[in-house]
Amino acid sequence: MGRYVLGRLGQAVLVLWAAWTVSFVILYALPGDAVEVRLGAAASDITPEQIAALQADYGLDQPWFTQYLTQLGHALTGDLGRSFENGQSVTSLLLENLPATAALAGLALILAVVFGGGLAVLANGVRFRWLSRALLNLPALGVAVPGFWVGLMLLQLFSFRIELFPAIGNDGFSSLVLPAITLAIPTSAVIAQILAKSLHSSLGEPWSDTARAKGAGSVRVLFRHALRNAALPTLTITGLLVGQLLSGAVVAETVFSRTGLGRLTATSVSAQDTPVVQGLVLFGALVFVLTNLAVDLLYPLLDRRTLQRSTRRVARPAPVEVS
Amino acid sequence: MNLRRRALLAAPALALVLLTSACGSSDAADSGDAAGTRSGGAVTNSATSSADATPTEGGSLSFAVANDPISLNPSGIGSGNDTLYVTRQLFDSLTEQDPETGEIIPWLAETFGASDDATSFTFTLREGVTFSDGTPLTAESVKATFDDIKAAGANAQAGAQFLGAYDRTEVTDDRTFTVHFTAPNGSFLQGVSSVALAPVAASTLAIPFDQRATGEGVIGTGPFVLDHYTKNTEVVLTKRDDYDWGPGDRENTGAAHLDEVVFKIVPESGVRTGSLDSGQVQVIGGVAPQDNAGLEAAGHNLVVRANPGISFGLTAVETQPIVADEQVRLAIARAINATDVRDAVLDDHFAVATSPLAANTPGWVDLSADLAFDPEQAASLLDEAGWTGGDGDVRTKDGQPLHLVIGYISNFGPNQGALELIQQQLRDVGIEAELWTGTVPDYLAAIKDGKIDLAWGNLSRADGDVLRTQYSTASSNYYKIDDPELEAALVGQASTADPDKRAEFQATAQELLVTRGHTIPVHELTTVLGADPSVHGVVLGADSRLSQLTDAFIAE
């Protein structure tokens, strides 16, 4: 078991390093740098020497590997640096913005599980084939509609016409509802799609027939037997869903004028504010890794078989196709 | 899926996050100068919301802007106009530029004057002005502020551009000082009217320059003080009760009527208009041209002012062989129907350009006769220049097609529509134009690398010196205009502080720019604010940015 945990940690570090490196390369490959972005296109009396001095200040005059190693070295000692744009420490920027995004993503995840799960169960539980088919088509729609459009429609209806919720800001629970729905739609669609598919196959398994033969009602078979088995593949993709929520927050927070990590990502990327973007990527990767670790530890609780086998090597359910 | 496979997925997933956010943030580019400077010229709307009601004291005004201010340090680099809307409330300037006349009038400086060669400027401060921390404003405060800006270099871009040749400030007594330059700085008296050169308190200067962006401890003499600034959310300002030194062009030179001003950062333009409609905010900035009519129909007031400075237009990058030919440049100018462009993508709040400078810029001259649309003349100019063919085909010269690349950045929404129409108009005379766009650094690199023949853009400033910063080959100029007569006029207007002499040089510069086809002005920019009818006295200043809100009040 100790070796297993060590291996997991090693892989986690590898993921963090890879994410960090990939984002550094992407940002470095963009034309120009933070200084040029900040100074803008307007010609002025700023001399090339002054520009060079500012670039040197930020270390942007160094070759890429020096910049990369310096930043990596600082990151390893826990120093994520300061924003090029406003001089604030990246750690404090992340901490300032985290609560708002955590609340938003948390509520969105709850909504997504409730509605996505509900839809999957409903689609497998209804007696009418046409209704089941219609319900099964909803997830595709949920994935297909762009988040900013959904957000703007919700605003139009529930903030501008019927003045139920505020359109802008981070002011209390009521300001959280519409952005959380916006963010939950694509996530719930993925949950519904995968859960409905695995529920369907679970219900076709021989043990479901056995349960029915023993006199269990269809509701009992669905919830007590099939759902428990079908939940595993859905749990497997939780890490991806968390990633989806973080990237969705970029759009949701922008449309609803909320502060948070998504907004910070949008503004930092367009300003080529490398230290902040690197900090955000590292944070995102960390969340991803931790979620997956948590999922791994949850398996045995849902499926005893994984626990029995884990003495040798932990096995998992078959990979899930996310279509 | 095992962890190794998920690890492989992680990197691309995060890269996708980066890409999505990059795409989603195109509105952020709107913070640049062009967006910063939407105001109207030959437009009948006033630059103030209705001021006829009797002022009511108290209340809170909520004002939605598109961009986070980024930095509340007046001399730091913010996000363009939206930053200045906020910082203007916190900081006063030595001089004020009267929006009605363009004249420079006293503010914190009671009197001011320039030496004949425009290399030194003497100011006397008015008495009794204090910073919001209670310390008095003295000549020493101004000297320390200017020295600090000079030392900050490019970090203080907004201020540094007016202090390029700054030598020193000599303090004569508590209220009198002289600013010396190593080269003439004819527009300095206008320059000091900007927020960027506003005096700040000694305690502010003790904070390292790059740590002043949050505005904490950044102290000015303005009619409002900072309550709090939450990045990407809001900036809340409260009134300063003992304020008593507003400039003479205001109705109210004392403390503000409003108790509080809340700037809300709302990036989506549709959300700003919807929030105004549903009463969630009272004033909105960054109104898109297509929303003007809708806002008026909904009963809102529009606060409209043309932006002074350089109008939107095409400027030839004269190191490019085809546009190095003056006849080709003039042919392009004759082929563009600016009125059609304005009518198609804008509305009549926007004026058709009459000169490189917008009509409300001090020093402007009317050159509309030289800018007439004349496709036949365009055709004959091209024939003379050896570009033959036409009649529906792209012209050629020695087998080379007449193909030009027009570059632009998305700093103003209608740019693309305007250029697509111009593209068609040029095609009608046998010029094939390709449109190119990218991020700011991309764009600058493309010009440098000779990928762009004509650059589309504007630059706002309420002084004709903007011609020098844009077209002189001495400053960081992208167009490489090799024209000694033009250069002489551009340098000449900066070598004196006498408004009449400067205007003469500026008139020459405008004529040369147009008659030699260096630049082809198309339309002016107009700044539009939308305001709820209950809001009064919201004014756009001489630079077409939000003025101090001392006249503003809310009355049903």
Side-chain angles (χ1 to χ4, degrees), chain B residues 231-355:
Chain B
K231 192 174 167 58
N232 285 329
T233 306
E234 62 181 10
V235 188
V236 178
L237 311 178
T238 50
K239 140 194 200 173
R240 199 180 151 187
D241 290 318
D242 60 345
Y243 186 80
D244 186 29
W245 41 83
D249 57 339
R250 310 268 167 81
E251 301 261 323
N252 167 27
T253 57
H257 301 303
L258 297 164
D259 286 336
E260 185 187 63
V261 179
V262 180
F263 287 97
K264 296 201 178 273
I265 296 130
V266 182
E268 288 299 317
S269 106
V271 178
R272 287 195 297 279
T273 36
S275 301
L276 179 67
D277 271 337
S278 55
Q280 301 184 49
V281 297
Q282 290 147 308
V283 185
I284 59 171
V287 176
Q290 68 269 19
D291 289 339
N292 290 346
L295 285 174
E296 279 179 309
H300 300 296
N301 290 328
L302 295 188
V303 183
V304 178
R305 193 172 192 276
N307 281 41
I310 292 175
S311 300
F312 269 105
L314 293 169
T315 302
V317 180
E318 300 194 8
T319 41
Q320 295 293 92
I322 297 178
V323 293
D325 184 342
E326 183 177 313
Q327 278 181 308
V328 174
R329 298 198 298 264
L330 290 173
I332 296 167
R334 294 295 77 78
I336 293 174
N337 185 340
T339 311
D340 272 4
V341 173
R342 190 273 310 267
D343 292 345
V345 297
L346 301 163
D347 61 25
D348 55 12
H349 291 302
F350 292 78
V352 172
T354 49
S355 150

Side-chain angles (χ1 to χ4, degrees), chain A residues 1-9 296-297 314 316:
Chain A
M1 194 67 189
R3 229 182 98 196
Y4 165 65
V5 172
L6 266 184
R8 281 289 128 94
L9 280 176
D296 285 344
L297 299 176
V314 172
R316 291 267 170 51

Side-chain angles (χ1 to χ4, degrees), chain A residues 8 11 15 19 22-23 26 31-32 36-46 50-51 54 57-58 82 85-88 93 152 155 159-160 163 165-168 170 236 240 247 250 254-255 257-259 263-267 269-270 272 277 281 284-285 288 292 296 316-320, chain B residues 1-7 9-11 14-15 17-18 20-22 24-25 28 33 66 70 77 150 153-157 160-161 164 210-211 213-214 230-233 264-268 270-271 274-275 277-278 280-281 409 439-444 459 465 468-470 475-478:
Chain A
R8 281 289 128 94
Q11 285 171 333
V15 173
V22 167
S23 67
I26 291 177
E36 286 172 35
V37 174
R38 280 179 82 193
L39 295 179
S44 74
D45 289 342
I46 300 289
Q50 286 175 316
I51 295 174
L54 192 55
D57 234 29
Y58 291 160
R82 287 181 172 280
E85 206 177 49
N86 68 0
Q88 236 183 308
L93 272 173
L152 288 175
L155 275 176
S159 183
F160 300 155
E163 294 170 19
F165 299 102
I168 51 187
N170 290 57
T236 312
L240 284 180
S247 64
V250 173
T254 302
V255 170
S257 315
R258 290 178 61 82
T259 189
R263 239 347 235 307
L264 188 66
T265 308
T267 52
V269 168
S270 59
Q272 282 181 241
V277 180
V281 167
F288 188 83
N292 282 319
D296 285 344
R316 291 267 170 51
V320 176
Chain B
M1 194 189 302
N2 65 32
L3 187 57
R4 198 161 299 142
R5 285 184 60 181
R6 267 184 261 152
L9 266 172
L14 286 158
V17 175
L18 284 176
T20 356
S21 61
S25 64
D33 173 72
I70 297 174
I77 306 173
K150 187 64 188 175
N155 242 331
Q157 183 197 30
Q161 61 173 315
D210 59 2
Q211 285 168 37
T214 58
T230 312
K231 192 174 167 58
N232 285 329
T233 306
K264 296 201 178 273
I265 296 130
V266 182
E268 288 299 317
V271 178
S275 301
D277 271 337
S278 55
Q280 301 184 49
V281 297
I409 50 172
T439 62
V440 170
D442 242 345
Y443 174 72
L444 298 183
L459 186 60
D465 191 48
R468 183 186 59 82
T469 50
Q470 184 82 325
S475 48
S476 50
N477 161 298
Y478 313 112

Side-chain angles (χ1 to χ4, degrees), chain B residues 112-130:
Chain B
F112 43 82
S115 65
D116 285 343
D117 62 353
T119 56
S120 59
F121 297 82
T122 302
F123 299 83
T124 306
L125 297 172
R126 68 181 285 162
E127 267 180 295
V129 177
T130 55

Side-chain angles (χ1 to χ4, degrees), chain B residues 119-123 139 142-148 150 163-172 177-183 188:
Chain B
T119 56
S120 59
F121 297 82
T122 302
F123 299 83
V142 183
K143 173 184 160 50
T145 301
F146 288 176
D147 288 351
D148 175 77
K150 187 64 188 175
L163 291 178
Y166 179 72
D167 179 26
R168 67 186 197 284
T169 300
E170 195 184 322
V171 174
T172 316
F177 59 92
T178 306
V179 186
H180 296 281
F181 293 93
T182 55
F188 185 61

